[in-house]
Amino acid sequence: MRTAICERLGIEFPLFAFSHCRDVVAAVTNAGGFGVLGAIAYSPEQLDTELTWIDERVGGRPYGVDVLVPGKIDASALDANVRLADAVPERHRDFVAHLFAKYGLTGSSPGAPLGSGPVPGPAAGLGPLEEPVAPGSVGPGSVGPGSVGPGSVGGRGGAADEVGRRVTPAGATGLIDVALKHPIGLIASALGPPPPEMAAKAREAGVPVAALVGTVEHARRQVAAGADIIVAQGTEAGGHTGDISTMVLVPQVVDAVAPVPVLAAGGIASGRQMAAALALGAEGVWCGSVWLTTEEAETAPAVKRKMLAASSLDTVRSRSRTGKPARQLRSAWTEEWDSAQESPGPLGMPLQLLMAEEAMTRIGAAAERGEPGAVELANYFVGQVVGQLDQVKPAREVVYEMVSEFADAVERLRRLSG
Amino acid sequence: MRTAICERLGIEFPLFAFSHCRDVVAAVTNAGGFGVLGAIAYSPEQLDTELTWIDERVGGRPYGVDVLVPGKIDASALDANVRLADAVPERHRDFVAHLFAKYGLTGSSPGAPLGSGPVPGPAAGLGPLEEPVAPGSVGPGSVGPGSVGPGSVGGRGGAADEVGRRVTPAGATGLIDVALKHPIGLIASALGPPPPEMAAKAREAGVPVAALVGTVEHARRQVAAGADIIVAQGTEAGGHTGDISTMVLVPQVVDAVAPVPVLAAGGIASGRQMAAALALGAEGVWCGSVWLTTEEAETAPAVKRKMLAASSLDTVRSRSRTGKPARQLRSAWTEEWDSAQESPGPLGMPLQLLMAEEAMTRIGAAAERGEPGAVELANYFVGQVVGQLDQVKPAREVVYEMVSEFADAVERLRRLSG
């Protein structure tokens, strides 16, 4: 299968895999697709290590990184004098403590101040930190669903601060500087129009910039700001999403930005869906959720089990994990934050995210110990395709199955059209 | 283009057109597609007239009708001793009066009891009366968007009662009895599993039954109850919809009910989208919104203008028109009911629907007189594809363009897959 984007990026299949897990990125790239590492889960030093690991395994095959600089962010994240953990109001900390008590979590110190708890294991990856350019729209910057990565988030106040500041222009630029020292083939960004400095650095290095959008207007704005590739992401996607479905959004974006190539995201985890996306005019597909249940993914085991069992009705767009509407598994966490009488309502980004990641680290550890309340609370970003994911497979096999089913779908269409 | 459904129904293109307007039904059928008349907009006598009109124009080409018997309905509709208009609480009538005053509607008697106002013109068609089988899912029974038809709804209390009772088992059966006297090729139903009596009558007459669903579970249930064709409708559709997008829902339903043929609905108004739907495994497409801006459609002029100007962000799923979540144009009507402090919240079905149709009849007339407040309030059921509809065309031309673009999309896919 050869689209223009395949030629341009030197890949066999126009299948992009967004993941916070280097193993998934390398596996998809080695299978002929294009892996994209969610860099926001890492400090610049960690990112360098991860990319070196990938470089050593992909034999020069192309891969990319995904970063972001949200257009709107809590002012605290831009003020170096503020300790982000301290900016979380007591009401919100109390509500988390209430949830820990209600769901019977042990082994943690529920009433302790944010950032003071133990770090029970590898902290959760940041997921879709990327932010909409404007209200009412999207731009997860990434489909969102990544997996548990080595990036520490909520363990200590200092770490939380460091992470929260990765989404500032300075923080993201630090990540890009590191990435550009590696032979990356793409920088994906899910902010508003890429900051001129980032676009200039990418251009100088000859690395194309992809931008995620959820509306036609944002697609036009991204192209005007120099994006080389548009990722049109439908509401069914995991992570931060807008309202418009992939089926409706993709052809409109394709027409609006032609001849700029468009990748489709949201609702794509099989070859039939890949064929549908290309029928809509996309040059390729950008998938996140489908990798979460692969062998390589470091998705927390309790969450992976939930995903394998979930139907497509089991996701919800909720502000409870990042402060912005993000599609994720419906769980006691989303239900309590969104519907409980006592809920103080979510904070903005990145405070809700830091608080939620801190809590999820504890919840994940308790879920691993088999505590049923923790299993009820556990969740992660995932799209509606979660209803299709019922088997753990190697990422390579997912790629091959998608490509093979794609060919079958095209052949069926060809026969039908005579 | 020949799918199994084309062979079975004797049509050239597997393109189904749901409309409350007989002109659209006849035009699509004559162009090689399959028109489906939303029968619920009519009394049995009116339906007989409409179907005779169609029979005289389609020269034996196949068309169908769409009816429904909601699984859940306000008890008042099942009690012949209740005058439905009287079952609307005063708070709700007062809120409508408040809206009329706030938006400066003239020429109507805002405070008057429901059913006592003048009938300023043909009352609105009922739109998607059909009801989900169970909470959290769909089953608009019809994509919903119809157009203004001759069925009178809210004009007089008696008429409102007659209309409200069309959605009872007895009422729907009356419509089916009339329809089966005509050479119809399909009965579509958006209720729960088709009532045994209806299924038996259809089977006896050799007429296949199609059922609309929004979840895999409902698809299975419909097939178990004897549905011959499943219409899998995504959340992006107009009218009553569920949560799952077309891209995600269709392949799951196709796999769950095979070899029962599946039509895709929601997000389909172009040949590329039709090709995408068939790539997902559907045997054909079921479209509603795209006909609302055709020359033939009797869509209220103010609403048609709004649709032509709307983007895909301008729809909302709101209970404010029927009592159940139905996708429609966002307008002052939906905003006030869904967000205003004073809103009493919507009633159940069919009371909210009767009240809304009564109000919309007055609003439509005022909008025609150019009253700006009425134009702000006016809306109608439509899917997210409304963002693609920017030109008034004959329905025949829509069919030909979709078929031609479908062929182009398949050819492009064929080239890409080598």
Side-chain angles (χ1 to χ4, degrees):
Chain A
M1 163 183 9
R2 303 293 287 182
T3 66
I5 205 97
C6 291
E7 307 289 345
R8 180 160 180 182
L9 299 179
I11 52 179
E12 283 182 70
F13 317 122
L15 169 54
F16 293 72
F18 173 78
S19 176
H20 289 112
C21 173
R22 64 188 185 184
D23 300 82
V24 169
V25 171
V28 173
T29 284
N30 282 328
F34 193 103
V36 180
L37 186 73
I40 203 70
Y42 305 99
S43 69
E45 298 70 30
Q46 289 167 332
L47 181 62
D48 196 42
T49 305
E50 299 299 298
L51 298 185
T52 300
W53 188 96
I54 293 171
D55 291 339
E56 288 167 2
R57 276 151 190 89
V58 299
R61 288 181 198 84
Y63 70 92
V65 297
D66 178 287
V67 293
L68 71 137
V69 193
K72 286 174 200 161
I73 194 166
D74 193 280
S76 57
L78 298 170
D79 181 348
N81 296 318
V82 174
R83 190 173 165 277
L84 292 182
D86 295 340
V88 174
E90 200 173 336
R91 271 182 78 204
H92 291 78
R93 277 187 288 217
D94 287 349
F95 185 62
V96 171
H98 155 75
L99 292 182
F100 283 6
K102 177 170 175 183
Y103 289 87
L105 259 67
T106 65
S108 64
S109 170
L114 190 74
S116 70
V119 186
L126 269 178
L129 251 183
E130 302 82 346
E131 214 203 36
V133 193
S137 69
V138 181
S142 65
V143 176
S147 59
V148 173
S152 172
V153 177
R156 275 169 290 273
D161 265 39
E162 195 274 321
V163 170
R165 296 204 163 91
R166 281 177 207 161
V167 300
T168 61
T173 303
L175 293 169
I176 286 297
D177 287 340
V178 166
L180 286 173
K181 290 182 191 146
H182 295 264
I184 58 169
L186 183 77
I187 295 174
S189 117
L191 41 161
E197 199 192 354
M198 183 188 293
K201 284 183 175 186
R203 195 163 303 117
E204 200 180 319
V207 176
V209 174
L212 277 88
V213 303
T215 69
V216 170
E217 186 199 340
H218 292 172
R220 290 206 179 96
R221 215 184 287 169
Q222 292 279 13
V223 169
D228 303 292
I229 297 167
I230 294 294
V231 184
Q233 178 182 273
T235 187
E236 54 268 73
H240 296 128
T241 61
D243 287 312
I244 307 174
S245 80
T246 298
M247 187 71 102
V248 173
L249 180 68
V250 171
Q252 290 187 41
V253 170
V254 166
D255 291 347
V257 304
V260 172
V262 174
L263 305 179
I268 303 165
S270 73
R272 281 177 286 179
Q273 288 158 332
M274 189 172 179
L278 270 64
L280 294 173
E283 291 278 322
V285 295
W286 176 277
C287 307
S289 302
V290 72
W291 316 110
L292 293 172
T293 52
T294 58
E295 277 178 18
E296 290 86 347
E298 293 162 10
T299 312
V303 170
K304 209 183 234 184
R305 282 190 294 272
K306 278 191 171 189
M307 288 180 177
L308 293 168
S311 89
S312 290
L313 288 171
D314 296 325
T315 73
V316 63
R317 278 173 80 216
S318 166
R319 296 181 184 268
S320 63
R321 271 201 75 148
T322 73
K324 295 186 173 293
R327 190 174 298 283
Q328 56 198 280
L329 282 178
R330 190 190 307 275
S331 82
W333 177 269
T334 60
E335 298 290 302
E336 292 280 355
W337 276 96
D338 295 341
S339 309
Q341 192 93 43
E342 313 87 327
S343 171
L347 297 166
M349 161 95 77
L351 298 183
Q352 182 73 19
L353 179 133
L354 294 177
M355 184 175 53
E357 289 297 322
E358 161 84 3
M360 282 295 161
T361 299
R362 298 183 186 186
I363 289 165
E368 285 327 294
R369 291 191 298 271
E371 296 182 21
V375 174
E376 278 184 74
L377 288 164
N379 83 346
Y380 196 65
F381 309 100
V382 73
Q384 291 186 337
V385 293
V386 72
Q388 301 168 221
L389 309 178
D390 53 10
Q391 245 186 303
V392 175
K393 294 175 189 171
R396 188 188 59 247
E397 195 176 316
V398 171
V399 174
Y400 294 153
E401 283 182 4
M402 284 182 72
V403 170
S404 160
E405 195 185 283
F406 172 87
D408 292 346
V410 172
E411 173 57 22
R412 175 174 176 268
L413 273 182
R414 202 195 50 71
R415 277 200 318 271
L416 293 180
S417 68
Chain B
M1 160 183 13
R2 304 292 287 182
T3 66
I5 206 97
C6 291
E7 307 290 344
R8 179 158 181 184
L9 298 179
I11 53 179
E12 283 181 71
F13 317 122
L15 169 52
F16 293 73
F18 172 80
S19 176
H20 288 111
C21 172
R22 63 188 186 186
D23 300 83
V24 169
V25 171
V28 172
T29 283
N30 282 328
F34 193 103
V36 180
L37 187 72
I40 203 70
Y42 306 100
S43 69
E45 298 70 30
Q46 289 166 333
L47 180 62
D48 195 43
T49 306
E50 298 300 297
L51 298 184
T52 301
W53 187 96
I54 293 170
D55 291 338
E56 289 167 2
R57 275 152 189 89
V58 299
R61 288 180 198 86
Y63 69 92
V65 297
D66 178 287
V67 292
L68 72 137
V69 193
K72 287 174 200 160
I73 194 166
D74 193 280
S76 56
L78 299 170
D79 181 348
N81 296 318
V82 174
R83 192 174 164 276
L84 292 182
D86 294 341
V88 174
E90 199 172 337
R91 272 182 78 205
H92 291 78
R93 277 187 289 218
D94 286 352
F95 185 63
V96 172
H98 154 75
L99 292 182
F100 283 4
K102 177 171 176 182
Y103 288 88
L105 260 67
T106 65
S108 64
S109 170
L114 189 74
S116 69
V119 186
L126 270 179
L129 250 185
E130 301 81 348
E131 214 202 36
V133 192
S137 68
V138 181
S142 63
V143 176
S147 58
V148 173
S152 172
V153 177
R156 275 170 291 273
D161 266 38
E162 195 274 320
V163 169
R165 297 203 163 92
R166 279 177 208 161
V167 300
T168 61
T173 303
L175 293 169
I176 286 297
D177 287 341
V178 167
L180 285 173
K181 290 183 188 145
H182 295 263
I184 58 169
L186 184 76
I187 295 173
S189 117
L191 40 162
E197 199 192 354
M198 184 190 291
K201 284 184 174 184
R203 194 163 303 117
E204 201 179 319
V207 176
V209 173
L212 277 88
V213 303
T215 69
V216 170
E217 186 200 339
H218 292 171
R220 288 206 180 98
R221 215 183 287 168
Q222 292 279 11
V223 168
D228 304 292
I229 297 167
I230 294 293
V231 184
Q233 178 182 273
T235 186
E236 55 268 72
H240 297 129
T241 61
D243 286 313
I244 308 174
S245 79
T246 297
M247 186 72 100
V248 174
L249 180 68
V250 171
Q252 290 187 41
V253 170
V254 165
D255 290 347
V257 305
V260 172
V262 173
L263 306 178
I268 302 164
S270 74
R272 279 177 287 180
Q273 288 158 331
M274 189 171 177
L278 269 64
L280 294 174
E283 290 278 321
V285 295
W286 177 277
C287 306
S289 302
V290 71
W291 317 110
L292 293 171
T293 52
T294 57
E295 276 179 18
E296 290 87 347
E298 291 162 11
T299 312
V303 171
K304 208 184 234 182
R305 282 190 293 273
K306 279 192 171 191
M307 288 181 176
L308 293 168
S311 90
S312 290
L313 288 171
D314 296 326
T315 73
V316 63
R317 278 172 80 215
S318 166
R319 295 180 185 268
S320 63
R321 272 201 74 147
T322 73
K324 294 187 173 292
R327 190 174 297 284
Q328 54 198 280
L329 282 177
R330 190 190 306 275
S331 81
W333 176 268
T334 59
E335 297 290 302
E336 292 280 357
W337 276 95
D338 296 341
S339 309
Q341 192 92 45
E342 313 89 326
S343 170
L347 296 166
M349 162 93 79
L351 298 183
Q352 183 73 18
L353 179 133
L354 294 176
M355 183 175 54
E357 289 297 322
E358 161 85 4
M360 281 296 161
T361 299
R362 298 183 186 186
I363 289 166
E368 286 326 293
R369 292 191 299 271
E371 297 182 21
V375 173
E376 279 184 74
L377 287 165
N379 84 347
Y380 196 65
F381 308 100
V382 74
Q384 290 186 337
V385 293
V386 71
Q388 301 168 221
L389 310 178
D390 53 8
Q391 244 187 304
V392 175
K393 294 174 188 169
R396 190 186 60 247
E397 196 176 316
V398 171
V399 174
Y400 294 152
E401 283 182 4
M402 284 183 71
V403 170
S404 161
E405 196 186 283
F406 172 88
D408 292 346
V410 173
E411 173 56 21
R412 175 174 177 269
L413 272 183
R414 202 195 51 71
R415 276 199 320 272
L416 293 180
S417 66

